[in-house]
């Protein structure tokens, strides 16, 4: 075996090792990685860019595309959009935070008894329990300084989410009917 032949084999092996490294460490944006590679979010980066700014005088129903049901949500049903898992996130855009009074309103239903924690941009704004018989109606006062001009994240921790039984494999906790950011 000549030195040239060994050198060519070394170059080919180095090329494939480099390609393997790139596969394990892709240099892509977080939204791209989470949607296309990790597949743990339900809104593509292109859809995320197309979300419109929320209007502080408007209620958004569970099918509205101006509220980005980003992670941990099922497809909308006729009445509600159910979470799927113990964590769920909604993304929304604020144009000018000074137009907002500092309240988030959430209405829906609850599967059995649920502990719910709500976070706005990684700041806890609510923690409590909801019961199926009472439904879900939260009016959460917030410091409007927690809002940012641009993309905001409303996250839900739902530790009691569980499968309803039968063929439904989802872990349910809350079904959202409408939301308002005022």
């Amino acid at each position: 075996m000549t030195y040239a032949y060994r050198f060519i084999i070394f170059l080919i092996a180095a090329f494939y090792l480099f390609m393997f490294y790139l596969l394990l460490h892709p240099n892509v944006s977080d939204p791209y990685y989470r949607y296309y590679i990790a597949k743990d979010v339900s809104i593509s980066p292109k859809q995320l860019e197309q979300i419109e700014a929320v209007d502080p005088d408007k209620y958004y129903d569970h099918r509205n595309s101006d509220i980005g049901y980003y992670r941990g949500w099922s497809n909308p049903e006729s009445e509600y959009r159910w979470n799927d898992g113990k964590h769920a996130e909604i993304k929304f855009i604020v144009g000018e935070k000074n137009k907002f009074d500092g309240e988030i309103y959430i209405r829906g239903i609850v599967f059995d008894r649920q502990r719910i924690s709500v976070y706005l941009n990684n700041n806890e704004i609510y923690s409590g329990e909801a019961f199926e018989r009472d439904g879900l109606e939260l009016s959460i006062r917030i410091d409007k300084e927690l809002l940012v001009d641009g993309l905001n994240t409303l996250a839900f921790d739902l530790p009691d989410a569980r499968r309803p039984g039968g063929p439904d494999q989802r872990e349910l906790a809350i079904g959202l009917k409408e939301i308002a950011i005022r």
Side-chain angles (χ1 to χ4, degrees), residues 31 34-36 38-44 69-72 89:
R34 296 192 69 188
Y35 183 76
Y36 290 107
K39 298 182 189 265
D40 68 345
V41 300
S42 55
I43 296 178
S44 74
Y69 292 91
Y70 185 66
R71 179 176 163 203
E89 292 179 13

Side-chain angles (χ1 to χ4, degrees), residues 11 18 22 29 39-40 51 55 64 82 84 86 89 91 96 103-104 114-115 122 124 136 138 166 168 181:
L11 285 178
F18 179 67
L22 289 178
S29 69
K39 298 182 189 265
D40 68 345
I51 293 175
D55 182 344
N64 193 294
W82 285 95
D84 185 5
K86 297 187 184 301
E89 292 179 13
K91 300 279 188 181
E96 295 177 44
E103 180 182 25
I104 295 177
Q114 299 294 328
R115 289 174 291 159
N122 294 320
E124 185 174 28
L136 179 66
L138 302 176
D168 194 341
I181 293 93

Side-chain angles (χ1 to χ4, degrees), residues 43 48 51-55 60 65-70 89-95 97 100 103-104 118-121 125 142 146-156 179-182:
I43 296 178
L48 198 56
I51 293 175
E52 298 289 328
V54 294
D55 182 344
Y60 295 91
S65 61
D66 289 337
I67 299 292
Y69 292 91
Y70 185 66
E89 292 179 13
I90 292 174
K91 300 279 188 181
F92 62 94
I93 304 277
V94 167
K97 70 180 179 182
F100 291 80
E103 180 182 25
I104 295 177
V118 182
Y119 301 85
L120 176 61
N121 298 324
I125 58 173
I142 61 167
L146 294 177
L147 293 169
V148 296
D149 292 340
L151 190 64
N152 290 264
T153 302
L154 189 65
F156 298 82
I179 186 168
I181 293 93
R182 305 188 275 217

Side-chain angles (χ1 to χ4, degrees), residues 57-75:
D57 298 322
K58 186 173 177 183
Y59 287 81
Y60 295 91
D61 84 353
H62 64 286
R63 286 179 245 128
N64 193 294
S65 61
D66 289 337
I67 299 292
Y69 292 91
Y70 185 66
R71 179 176 163 203
W73 296 99
S74 298
N75 291 326

